[in-house]
Amino acid sequence: MFELEPHKVASILVWATSFSGMFSNGFVFCWVTKMPSMQNPFGGIAKNQSLTGFLHACGYFFFFAPMLYFDIKAWKDPSVSSWFGQLENTFYDACLSCHLLISLNRITSIWYPTYYDKIFTEYRLLGHTTDTQARNRRIMEITFVTQSFVQAFIFILELLSYFVFVNWTDNKLAKFALKTIAWVMVHSLDGFIAILFNKEFIRKIYHSKQRLTLRYSSSPAKIVQNADSLNTDSLPVDAEKKL
């Protein structure tokens, strides 16, 4: 029976986790500024947060996982690996700073709304705001607060996993999962949480899936249409006689 070495299993886990982080954060970064509900300071901070999460995942996907799987000695040299560690810590700290700004943004928006425009610059549409618009805005604000809380809670779990839960086991692979995988996964979950809590992201994914389905489903119809066009009516007279 074929069995992978432990370091290769660990690298595959890193690849899978970091790829999911690249996908989720990359999706949020590309579409957050195109969503009407994100045309505000919260959306701007969320975009920067997704960028730091994407870069953090890229480091593990393109550097750490290959180094681990192929056992690249040159990359393990402290003169190289120290730069990788410094970059990853920078992206991690930048992501934490974005979380802090998002928390301050939500606290100001919910509990000190009169000071919101003085602290955060926001472009508002001129005109009368209806009761429906005000109610929808309130629901959106509460959703953003819930999203921020869940993301912060995930970060707390990651810190507990890194410093506390890891001491409950002596298994090397389990320790690796509770430290390194947890550190990468927290950024991956950041992007997925942002998608799940925003209906516009979900609609975008659903519509993209529909367009993809229609594109593939229309291909056979085009083939049939092209086949139908090749009938005897479209052939020259001499060709008809030969048939």
Side-chain angles (χ1 to χ4, degrees), residues 21-34:
M22 291 169 57
F23 170 79
S24 62
N25 287 288
F27 181 86
V28 173
F29 178 78
C30 291
W31 292 103
V32 66
T33 54
K34 300 179 182 180

Side-chain angles (χ1 to χ4, degrees), residues 36-183:
S37 63
M38 290 292 188
Q39 302 303 313
N40 47 50
F42 179 86
I45 302 172
K47 181 179 181 180
N48 291 326
Q49 176 186 319
S50 62
L51 176 61
T52 58
F54 176 80
L55 293 175
H56 187 274
C58 283
Y60 274 90
F61 187 85
F62 292 108
F63 183 90
F64 186 82
M67 178 192 69
L68 198 60
Y69 189 89
F70 299 106
D71 193 23
I72 305 176
K73 304 295 183 183
W75 291 9
K76 292 182 179 181
D77 188 270
S79 61
V80 178
S81 59
S82 60
W83 281 100
F84 167 76
Q86 186 62 43
L87 282 174
E88 291 302 295
N89 282 327
T90 300
F91 297 144
Y92 182 81
D93 292 338
C95 189
L96 285 180
S97 299
C98 290
H99 274 284
L100 175 61
L101 288 175
I102 286 177
S103 298
L104 294 175
N105 178 277
R106 293 300 88 202
I107 290 174
T108 306
S109 177
I110 297 299
W111 283 281
Y112 306 100
T114 56
Y115 294 95
Y116 188 86
D117 289 336
K118 297 179 181 179
I119 300 175
F120 298 95
T121 303
E122 181 175 9
Y123 299 95
R124 298 181 183 274
L125 295 175
L126 298 178
H128 178 68
T129 302
T130 64
D131 293 338
T132 303
Q133 290 174 331
R135 185 169 58 255
N136 291 337
R137 178 183 175 84
R138 186 65 178 176
I139 294 173
M140 182 182 67
E141 296 287 355
I142 295 174
T143 301
F144 286 160
V145 170
T146 308
Q147 173 187 329
S148 304
F149 174 80
V150 173
Q151 289 176 321
F153 181 72
I154 294 296
F155 260 84
I156 293 174
L157 288 180
E158 182 265 332
L159 292 174
L160 289 174
S161 174
Y162 197 95
F163 293 105
V164 179
F165 300 157
V166 72
N167 299 318
W168 295 355
T169 180
D170 294 325
N171 184 275
K172 289 184 178 180
L173 191 59
K175 283 181 175 290
F176 180 81
L178 290 171
K179 297 187 74 172
T180 303
I181 297 298
W183 200 39

